[in-house]
Amino acid sequence: MDSDTKRLRRVAAELDEPVAANGLLHRRAFLRGGIAFTGFAAAAVTAHDAAAQAAAATGEKLSARTLMTQAVMGGPFTAYGQPARYERDAVREFTVNQLTPGTGSSRTPHHVLEGMITPSGLHFQRNHNGVPDIEPNQHQLLIHGLVKRPLTFTLDSLSRYPMESHIRFVECAGNNGGFNAAEPRQADVQAMHGLLSSSEWTGVRLAVLLDEAGVDPKGKWILAEGGDGASMSRSVPIEKCMDDAVIALYQNGERIRPEQGYPMRLLLPGFEGNMNVKWLHRIQVTPTPTFTKDETSKYTELMPNGKARQFMFQQPVNSFITKPSYQINLQGPGYYEISGLAWSGAGKIAKVEISADEGKSWAQAALVDPVLPMAVTRFRLPWKWSGQPLTLVSRATDEKKNVQPTRSQWLKLYAPNQGYKFNGITAWAADGTGQIRHVYI
Ligand SMILES: Nc1nc2c(c(=O)[nH]1)N[C@H]1C(S)=C(S)[C@@H](COP(=O)(O)O)O[C@H]1N2
Ligand SMILES: [Mo]
């Protein structure tokens, strides 16, 4: 054994010590290579042996020659690439209502995705009247109301302005639903948390356009209206418009997808999805909120005293574990990496803690760079599962010190059946075979 090997073994032995109950390891245990050395190296040899044995059984020799005969002539070029045809699980999930086929939502399959960016074709959709087919050269954005100079912008004229790019999440206020049912619903991460997606958005800062139009001091709000059949419209405080609001034209490097608001959408970082008006064609500066149907009949929260709370813009701090999760079961005792997503409308994620004993002891997960405000943050934690039944939970804290409540704490904040903005802790229970169920803790 050389000195490097000895050193790695020593580090491994230290890091292999759990930092919280039921085998949660130090967040850097895998990164330092220690665990990989003792655990995975051994596992890899076993896997290799198994493959060699299988090959021997069929009389086949694992050789360079075998690999070469497997090579085939490749297919032609494609104009726009698609995922490998075997990736059939990586699709949006939705139910079709025959009467209103364009109305409803489709969900991002987070349980089969990695990293912090949602592929554009898998961004969730929430449409109140379908996806309009807008000819970009015909589209205009009008800014009027309490301004010195009403202005209209075409896609071409907007393209001459300085652009900004930001990685930001969009999350529907109705995400994470179903938790007020008496029994925990047995559903995967896609069904439970799939109305959340994350993209790099590029566009023009709204403040630049409003400054050019010259906002009257009496203009305290805007009305943002979409060009879809629903004319979806929302009131936004002028402070947000002058702060970090963006007229987004690009999504993950290409023009924004039709489903996300082509050719332009309002992006309000951290604010509930509904306010991020798609197919944006009109901004009216107003003295007060407009009290549109979308902010009165819906997207308000009923409080315990029977009054509805309006204009709760920010999405709360939240997190969920994707690996393991419902239907992403454990494959027997041994080393695992627990992984998931955390986000907050208030800013950056400060920490994510994981518990494997229903919240009695906690280990701090590693946050994957870059950790950005109002973006999703991927977290990871090494874990050694002994094979005993247990419950895994994640709890996120943001930079403003907001912490995810438990489900029962959250339920006390609102009237029964109030369904918006749930951010209670999600818990996954593993039985002795590694099968995962959704449980309440
Ligand atoms: N014009 C318009 N904007 C809209 C909607 C809509 O139906 N029409 N849906 C809103 C809702 S409720 C949400 S959650 C987000 C969803 O954005 P996405 O479909 O790009 O994921 O868009 C919002 N903006
Ligand atoms: Mo939404």
Side-chain angles (χ1 to χ4, degrees), residues 346-385:
K348 289 183 191 172
I349 290 298
K351 68 174 173 189
V352 177
E353 298 155 295
I354 312 257
S355 172
D357 58 359
E358 303 188 13
K360 289 192 252 331
S361 67
W362 298 89
Q364 205 169 323
L367 303 183
V368 178
D369 280 336
V371 177
L372 300 171
M374 289 85 84
V376 300
T377 296
R378 171 72 54 180
F379 62 84
R380 304 181 186 286
L381 187 72
W383 178 42
K384 191 177 182 180
W385 185 46

Tab-separated table of all heavy atoms in Angstrom, residues 346-385:
chain	number	residue	atom	x	y	z
A	346	ALA	N	-37.378	34.600	-1.565
A	346	ALA	CA	-36.811	35.711	-0.797
A	346	ALA	C	-35.325	35.910	-1.068
A	346	ALA	O	-34.748	36.898	-0.623
A	346	ALA	CB	-37.035	35.479	0.691
A	347	GLY	N	-34.687	34.979	-1.772
A	347	GLY	CA	-33.252	35.141	-2.026
A	347	GLY	C	-32.554	33.815	-2.205
A	347	GLY	O	-33.137	32.874	-2.749
A	348	LYS	N	-31.289	33.775	-1.707
A	348	LYS	CA	-30.495	32.550	-1.862
A	348	LYS	C	-30.858	31.515	-0.801
A	348	LYS	O	-31.313	31.880	0.292
A	348	LYS	CB	-29.006	32.877	-1.677
A	348	LYS	CG	-28.400	33.651	-2.799
A	348	LYS	CD	-26.911	33.841	-2.520
A	348	LYS	CE	-26.343	34.844	-3.507
A	348	LYS	NZ	-24.982	35.228	-3.205
A	349	ILE	N	-30.593	30.281	-1.111
A	349	ILE	CA	-30.694	29.220	-0.113
A	349	ILE	C	-29.441	29.288	0.765
A	349	ILE	O	-28.314	29.358	0.254
A	349	ILE	CB	-30.807	27.834	-0.802
A	349	ILE	CG1	-32.177	27.698	-1.480
A	349	ILE	CG2	-30.587	26.691	0.190
A	349	ILE	CD1	-33.370	27.760	-0.528
A	350	ALA	N	-29.644	29.335	2.079
A	350	ALA	CA	-28.507	29.420	3.002
A	350	ALA	C	-28.058	28.027	3.427
A	350	ALA	O	-26.869	27.744	3.518
A	350	ALA	CB	-28.876	30.240	4.231
A	351	LYS	N	-29.016	27.145	3.717
A	351	LYS	CA	-28.637	25.767	4.054
A	351	LYS	C	-29.812	24.821	3.845
A	351	LYS	O	-30.981	25.238	3.871
A	351	LYS	CB	-28.109	25.651	5.487
A	351	LYS	CG	-29.138	25.876	6.550
A	351	LYS	CD	-28.555	25.598	7.936
A	351	LYS	CE	-29.559	26.011	8.990
A	351	LYS	NZ	-29.059	25.999	10.347
A	352	VAL	N	-29.459	23.559	3.622
A	352	VAL	CA	-30.455	22.496	3.560
A	352	VAL	C	-29.992	21.417	4.524
A	352	VAL	O	-28.844	20.972	4.468
A	352	VAL	CB	-30.592	21.912	2.132
A	352	VAL	CG1	-31.579	20.748	2.126
A	352	VAL	CG2	-31.035	22.985	1.148
A	353	GLU	N	-30.884	21.048	5.431
A	353	GLU	CA	-30.568	19.983	6.386
A	353	GLU	C	-31.401	18.755	6.050
A	353	GLU	O	-32.526	18.876	5.572
A	353	GLU	CB	-30.899	20.432	7.809
A	353	GLU	CG	-30.095	21.628	8.252
A	353	GLU	CD	-30.829	22.397	9.345
A	353	GLU	OE1	-31.907	22.950	9.065
A	353	GLU	OE2	-30.319	22.403	10.480
A	354	ILE	N	-30.799	17.602	6.323
A	354	ILE	CA	-31.491	16.342	6.064
A	354	ILE	C	-31.581	15.580	7.375
A	354	ILE	O	-30.613	15.548	8.140
A	354	ILE	CB	-30.701	15.465	5.061
A	354	ILE	CG1	-30.278	16.288	3.859
A	354	ILE	CG2	-31.455	14.192	4.708
A	354	ILE	CD1	-31.045	16.113	2.628
A	355	SER	N	-32.723	14.982	7.605
A	355	SER	CA	-32.881	14.121	8.770
A	355	SER	C	-33.337	12.745	8.301
A	355	SER	O	-34.151	12.628	7.386
A	355	SER	CB	-33.903	14.713	9.742
A	355	SER	OG	-34.181	13.771	10.765
A	356	ALA	N	-32.790	11.724	8.945
A	356	ALA	CA	-33.218	10.352	8.635
A	356	ALA	C	-33.948	9.761	9.839
A	356	ALA	O	-34.199	8.554	9.898
A	356	ALA	CB	-32.011	9.495	8.255
A	357	ASP	N	-34.267	10.623	10.831
A	357	ASP	CA	-35.002	10.131	12.009
A	357	ASP	C	-36.147	11.092	12.358
A	357	ASP	O	-36.334	11.452	13.515
A	357	ASP	CB	-34.063	9.893	13.201
A	357	ASP	CG	-33.309	11.158	13.599
A	357	ASP	OD1	-33.493	12.217	12.935
A	357	ASP	OD2	-32.526	11.107	14.564
A	358	GLU	N	-36.864	11.518	11.321
A	358	GLU	CA	-38.068	12.341	11.469
A	358	GLU	C	-37.812	13.649	12.183
A	358	GLU	O	-38.658	14.161	12.918
A	358	GLU	CB	-39.170	11.545	12.190
A	358	GLU	CG	-39.469	10.267	11.442
A	358	GLU	CD	-40.678	9.523	11.982
A	358	GLU	OE1	-41.423	10.101	12.767
A	358	GLU	OE2	-40.831	8.367	11.584
A	359	GLY	N	-36.621	14.195	12.007
A	359	GLY	CA	-36.356	15.534	12.515
A	359	GLY	C	-35.692	15.582	13.883
A	359	GLY	O	-35.528	16.665	14.434
A	360	LYS	N	-35.302	14.436	14.438
A	360	LYS	CA	-34.626	14.468	15.742
A	360	LYS	C	-33.162	14.883	15.585
A	360	LYS	O	-32.634	15.644	16.385
A	360	LYS	CB	-34.744	13.109	16.432
A	360	LYS	CG	-36.178	12.826	16.906
A	360	LYS	CD	-36.252	11.644	17.830
A	360	LYS	CE	-36.871	10.382	17.292
A	360	LYS	NZ	-37.888	10.400	16.260
A	361	SER	N	-32.488	14.383	14.565
A	361	SER	CA	-31.111	14.824	14.308
A	361	SER	C	-30.977	15.203	12.836
A	361	SER	O	-31.695	14.680	11.979
A	361	SER	CB	-30.111	13.717	14.678
A	361	SER	OG	-30.241	12.611	13.801
A	362	TRP	N	-30.063	16.137	12.568
A	362	TRP	CA	-29.947	16.708	11.206
A	362	TRP	C	-28.496	16.710	10.745
A	362	TRP	O	-27.585	16.943	11.540
A	362	TRP	CB	-30.459	18.149	11.187
A	362	TRP	CG	-31.908	18.302	11.540
A	362	TRP	CD1	-32.425	18.474	12.801
A	362	TRP	CD2	-33.027	18.286	10.649
A	362	TRP	NE1	-33.799	18.578	12.737
A	362	TRP	CE2	-34.192	18.464	11.427
A	362	TRP	CE3	-33.160	18.147	9.254
A	362	TRP	CZ2	-35.482	18.508	10.870
A	362	TRP	CZ3	-34.434	18.195	8.710
A	362	TRP	CH2	-35.570	18.362	9.511
A	363	ALA	N	-28.310	16.507	9.454
A	363	ALA	CA	-26.993	16.671	8.818
A	363	ALA	C	-27.132	17.737	7.750
A	363	ALA	O	-28.152	17.812	7.068
A	363	ALA	CB	-26.536	15.364	8.188
A	364	GLN	N	-26.086	18.565	7.608
A	364	GLN	CA	-26.163	19.642	6.616
A	364	GLN	C	-25.711	19.138	5.247
A	364	GLN	O	-24.625	18.576	5.122
A	364	GLN	CB	-25.302	20.812	7.078
A	364	GLN	CG	-25.790	22.118	6.485
A	364	GLN	CD	-25.115	23.316	7.134
A	364	GLN	OE1	-24.866	23.314	8.341
A	364	GLN	NE2	-24.814	24.324	6.344
A	365	ALA	N	-26.549	19.344	4.237
A	365	ALA	CA	-26.223	18.885	2.876
A	365	ALA	C	-25.259	19.853	2.202
A	365	ALA	O	-25.174	21.023	2.582
A	365	ALA	CB	-27.507	18.780	2.048
A	366	ALA	N	-24.526	19.366	1.200
A	366	ALA	CA	-23.675	20.239	0.376
A	366	ALA	C	-24.568	20.948	-0.630
A	366	ALA	O	-25.461	20.329	-1.214
A	366	ALA	CB	-22.625	19.409	-0.345
A	367	LEU	N	-24.351	22.255	-0.802
A	367	LEU	CA	-25.088	23.016	-1.821
A	367	LEU	C	-24.208	23.094	-3.060
A	367	LEU	O	-23.025	23.436	-2.975
A	367	LEU	CB	-25.419	24.424	-1.321
A	367	LEU	CG	-26.227	24.500	-0.019
A	367	LEU	CD1	-26.540	25.955	0.330
A	367	LEU	CD2	-27.512	23.687	-0.118
A	368	VAL	N	-24.777	22.772	-4.206
A	368	VAL	CA	-23.987	22.740	-5.442
A	368	VAL	C	-23.909	24.148	-6.039
A	368	VAL	O	-24.936	24.804	-6.210
A	368	VAL	CB	-24.628	21.763	-6.448
A	368	VAL	CG1	-23.858	21.745	-7.765
A	368	VAL	CG2	-24.699	20.359	-5.852
A	369	ASP	N	-22.700	24.589	-6.346
A	369	ASP	CA	-22.518	25.902	-6.981
A	369	ASP	C	-23.085	25.918	-8.395
A	369	ASP	O	-23.014	24.899	-9.069
A	369	ASP	CB	-21.024	26.241	-7.052
A	369	ASP	CG	-20.517	26.771	-5.725
A	369	ASP	OD1	-21.345	27.286	-4.951
A	369	ASP	OD2	-19.308	26.648	-5.474
A	370	PRO	N	-23.594	27.043	-8.909
A	370	PRO	CA	-23.742	28.302	-8.193
A	370	PRO	C	-25.035	28.334	-7.369
A	370	PRO	O	-26.069	27.832	-7.814
A	370	PRO	CB	-23.813	29.328	-9.327
A	370	PRO	CG	-24.451	28.582	-10.465
A	370	PRO	CD	-24.010	27.149	-10.321
A	371	VAL	N	-24.929	28.938	-6.170
A	371	VAL	CA	-26.118	29.146	-5.342
A	371	VAL	C	-26.605	30.564	-5.634
A	371	VAL	O	-25.941	31.533	-5.277
A	371	VAL	CB	-25.777	28.975	-3.848
A	371	VAL	CG1	-26.990	29.268	-2.985
A	371	VAL	CG2	-25.248	27.570	-3.587
A	372	LEU	N	-27.713	30.693	-6.334
A	372	LEU	CA	-28.173	31.989	-6.827
A	372	LEU	C	-29.502	32.373	-6.191
A	372	LEU	O	-30.298	31.497	-5.833
A	372	LEU	CB	-28.360	31.921	-8.350
A	372	LEU	CG	-27.105	31.564	-9.147
A	372	LEU	CD1	-27.441	31.316	-10.609
A	372	LEU	CD2	-26.066	32.660	-9.022
A	373	PRO	N	-29.752	33.700	-6.053
A	373	PRO	CA	-31.031	34.119	-5.482
A	373	PRO	C	-32.196	33.778	-6.415
A	373	PRO	O	-32.074	33.914	-7.641
A	373	PRO	CB	-30.888	35.640	-5.339
A	373	PRO	CG	-29.798	36.020	-6.282
A	373	PRO	CD	-28.889	34.838	-6.401
A	374	MET	N	-33.300	33.345	-5.860
A	374	MET	CA	-34.519	33.047	-6.629
A	374	MET	C	-34.258	32.061	-7.774
A	374	MET	O	-34.870	32.148	-8.835
A	374	MET	CB	-35.156	34.331	-7.170
A	374	MET	CG	-35.805	35.183	-6.106
A	374	MET	SD	-34.657	36.288	-5.267
A	374	MET	CE	-34.648	37.632	-6.418
A	375	ALA	N	-33.308	31.171	-7.542
A	375	ALA	CA	-33.041	30.067	-8.475
A	375	ALA	C	-33.175	28.780	-7.677
A	375	ALA	O	-33.183	28.825	-6.449
A	375	ALA	CB	-31.641	30.180	-9.045
A	376	VAL	N	-33.304	27.642	-8.323
A	376	VAL	CA	-33.267	26.407	-7.546
A	376	VAL	C	-31.806	26.072	-7.241
A	376	VAL	O	-30.913	26.380	-8.032
A	376	VAL	CB	-33.953	25.205	-8.247
A	376	VAL	CG1	-35.414	25.491	-8.518
A	376	VAL	CG2	-33.222	24.797	-9.503
A	377	THR	N	-31.579	25.487	-6.074
A	377	THR	CA	-30.250	25.059	-5.665
A	377	THR	C	-30.279	23.550	-5.481
A	377	THR	O	-31.155	23.023	-4.783
A	377	THR	CB	-29.843	25.754	-4.351
A	377	THR	OG1	-29.761	27.155	-4.594
A	377	THR	CG2	-28.512	25.246	-3.834
A	378	ARG	N	-29.351	22.861	-6.118
A	378	ARG	CA	-29.249	21.405	-5.957
A	378	ARG	C	-28.482	21.117	-4.670
A	378	ARG	O	-27.481	21.770	-4.376
A	378	ARG	CB	-28.515	20.842	-7.177
A	378	ARG	CG	-28.124	19.397	-7.129
A	378	ARG	CD	-29.250	18.421	-7.267
A	378	ARG	NE	-30.087	18.601	-8.446
A	378	ARG	CZ	-31.144	17.804	-8.705
A	378	ARG	NH1	-31.457	16.807	-7.877
A	378	ARG	NH2	-31.877	18.016	-9.762
A	379	PHE	N	-28.974	20.184	-3.869
A	379	PHE	CA	-28.228	19.780	-2.667
A	379	PHE	C	-27.942	18.288	-2.721
A	379	PHE	O	-28.649	17.527	-3.397
A	379	PHE	CB	-28.981	20.166	-1.387
A	379	PHE	CG	-30.326	19.504	-1.222
A	379	PHE	CD1	-30.450	18.233	-0.678
A	379	PHE	CD2	-31.488	20.175	-1.605
A	379	PHE	CE1	-31.696	17.632	-0.523
A	379	PHE	CE2	-32.743	19.580	-1.462
A	379	PHE	CZ	-32.842	18.309	-0.916
A	380	ARG	N	-26.876	17.897	-2.024
A	380	ARG	CA	-26.457	16.492	-2.026
A	380	ARG	C	-25.930	16.114	-0.647
A	380	ARG	O	-25.308	16.937	0.024
A	380	ARG	CB	-25.330	16.266	-3.038
A	380	ARG	CG	-25.669	16.695	-4.453
A	380	ARG	CD	-24.489	16.412	-5.387
A	380	ARG	NE	-24.727	16.942	-6.719
A	380	ARG	CZ	-25.558	16.404	-7.610
A	380	ARG	NH1	-26.205	15.293	-7.313
A	380	ARG	NH2	-25.728	16.956	-8.790
A	381	LEU	N	-26.153	14.879	-0.275
A	381	LEU	CA	-25.600	14.392	0.996
A	381	LEU	C	-25.288	12.899	0.905
A	381	LEU	O	-26.154	12.105	0.535
A	381	LEU	CB	-26.596	14.631	2.147
A	381	LEU	CG	-26.015	14.309	3.530
A	381	LEU	CD1	-24.998	15.354	3.960
A	381	LEU	CD2	-27.116	14.192	4.585
A	382	PRO	N	-24.039	12.535	1.272
A	382	PRO	CA	-23.680	11.107	1.285
A	382	PRO	C	-24.393	10.383	2.424
A	382	PRO	O	-24.610	10.953	3.505
A	382	PRO	CB	-22.170	11.115	1.547
A	382	PRO	CG	-21.725	12.504	1.246
A	382	PRO	CD	-22.881	13.391	1.576
A	383	TRP	N	-24.709	9.151	2.173
A	383	TRP	CA	-25.519	8.396	3.137
A	383	TRP	C	-25.199	6.913	3.020
A	383	TRP	O	-24.979	6.410	1.923
A	383	TRP	CB	-26.999	8.642	2.809
A	383	TRP	CG	-27.979	7.911	3.669
A	383	TRP	CD1	-27.931	7.725	5.010
A	383	TRP	CD2	-29.198	7.283	3.223
A	383	TRP	NE1	-29.034	7.042	5.439
A	383	TRP	CE2	-29.832	6.758	4.361
A	383	TRP	CE3	-29.816	7.135	1.972
A	383	TRP	CZ2	-31.051	6.066	4.294
A	383	TRP	CZ3	-31.024	6.465	1.906
A	383	TRP	CH2	-31.636	5.940	3.058
A	384	LYS	N	-25.163	6.259	4.176
A	384	LYS	CA	-24.941	4.810	4.193
A	384	LYS	C	-26.176	4.182	4.812
A	384	LYS	O	-26.426	4.355	6.015
A	384	LYS	CB	-23.699	4.509	5.033
A	384	LYS	CG	-23.215	3.087	4.921
A	384	LYS	CD	-21.938	2.976	5.745
A	384	LYS	CE	-21.320	1.625	5.689
A	384	LYS	NZ	-20.094	1.614	6.529
A	385	TRP	N	-26.955	3.526	3.988
A	385	TRP	CA	-28.210	2.939	4.471
A	385	TRP	C	-27.963	1.520	4.966
A	385	TRP	O	-27.428	0.681	4.225
A	385	TRP	CB	-29.267	2.938	3.357
A	385	TRP	CG	-30.611	2.448	3.829
A	385	TRP	CD1	-31.249	2.808	4.970
A	385	TRP	CD2	-31.453	1.482	3.182
A	385	TRP	NE1	-32.453	2.141	5.076
A	385	TRP	CE2	-32.602	1.321	3.985
A	385	TRP	CE3	-31.350	0.754	1.984
A	385	TRP	CZ2	-33.640	0.452	3.658
A	385	TRP	CZ3	-32.385	-0.108	1.647
A	385	TRP	CH2	-33.522	-0.255	2.477
